[in-house]
Amino acid sequence: MNDFREKKNARLIMAIHGIQNEGGVNWEEKLIDALIHHAEFYVPMRTMGEGEDRKPAFAVVEDKDHNHFYVLFTSQEKAKQWKHEKETTAILSFQAALMALGDPRISGFVINMNSDNFILWRKFIVDCIHVEQAELMGEVPVRPDENMEFTEPLGDSKELEEALAEYMR
């Protein structure tokens, strides 16, 4: 069977391997772009509860430092390596997977466990959200770690000062 999600995730896999082998901001930008615009994941899950109380429970793993991660796979073949009874797989975009981060005990995602073992930490995921929000507003995203220089406002700043003074009252 032809897995079009594996093809769709080719940019993501290339960025993951680029970060693992070379590192650097360029590969991080490619990773963010692939996650936001292209990635779809197979997510192991089971349904918990009965009737109207039914809800999905996504697979969670723990590392040696007791950090907890949701498990995401980029292909059906890699998802099959995660074989647990009573579990199925959901197919989620990165944006849908973000909803699962409402639990503060979760430290992030692990992509392709048992092969790539690539971890997306919560801070990086939040950075991805900020980039996506900036793009949606038509702005150029600024990476939090970039050096920023603040200068005096150009032109007459009297109107700005008056507005700030009014706001502070």
Side-chain angles (χ1 to χ4, degrees):
M1 184 154 100
N2 206 359
D3 184 2
F4 76 92
R5 281 184 188 80
E6 185 173 22
K7 292 176 184 171
K8 191 172 186 176
N9 289 326
R11 292 178 189 186
L12 175 63
I13 297 300
M14 189 171 67
I16 287 172
H17 292 167
I19 288 173
Q20 289 174 331
N21 297 329
E22 300 171 26
V25 174
N26 185 37
W27 284 113
E28 284 185 22
E29 289 173 358
K30 288 179 181 183
L31 177 66
I32 291 171
D33 180 67
L35 286 167
I36 293 172
H37 300 292
H38 306 288
E40 286 187 353
F41 298 101
Y42 293 91
V43 184
M45 59 152 299
R46 66 175 69 155
T47 304
M48 306 297 283
E50 298 286 328
E52 290 182 19
D53 295 330
R54 292 177 61 131
K55 60 182 181 179
F58 298 106
V60 176
V61 294
E62 181 179 23
D63 69 4
K64 66 182 183 316
D65 298 325
H66 305 293
N67 295 305
H68 297 88
F69 302 94
Y70 287 119
V71 181
L72 308 175
F73 294 100
T74 57
S75 71
Q76 203 168 30
E77 180 182 319
K78 291 181 181 183
K80 285 180 183 176
Q81 295 173 5
W82 175 272
K83 211 55 165 166
H84 288 78
E85 285 185 32
K86 300 181 182 177
E87 283 189 348
T88 61
T89 53
I91 298 169
L92 300 175
S93 67
F94 184 66
Q95 288 81 0
L98 293 175
M99 292 187 294
L101 283 180
D103 186 343
R105 299 172 293 181
I106 300 299
S107 299
F109 300 131
V110 60
I111 298 177
N112 293 336
M113 188 169 160
N114 300 325
S115 60
D116 295 315
N117 289 322
F118 188 76
I119 293 176
L120 294 177
W121 291 93
R122 185 179 282 271
K123 182 190 177 319
F124 182 81
I125 295 167
V126 169
D127 289 349
C128 289
I129 294 168
H130 291 150
V131 167
E132 182 180 32
Q133 289 172 341
E135 287 178 359
L136 290 172
M137 293 187 298
E139 297 177 3
V140 176
V142 176
R143 295 180 58 86
D145 59 337
E146 286 182 8
N147 293 331
M148 296 178 65
E149 184 177 319
F150 294 94
T151 61
E152 293 295 319
L154 300 175
D156 185 21
S157 62
K158 184 147 182 77
E159 184 179 343
L160 176 62
E161 290 172 10
E162 289 172 358
L164 286 171
E166 180 67 29
Y167 177 77
M168 297 302 285
R169 290 185 205 176

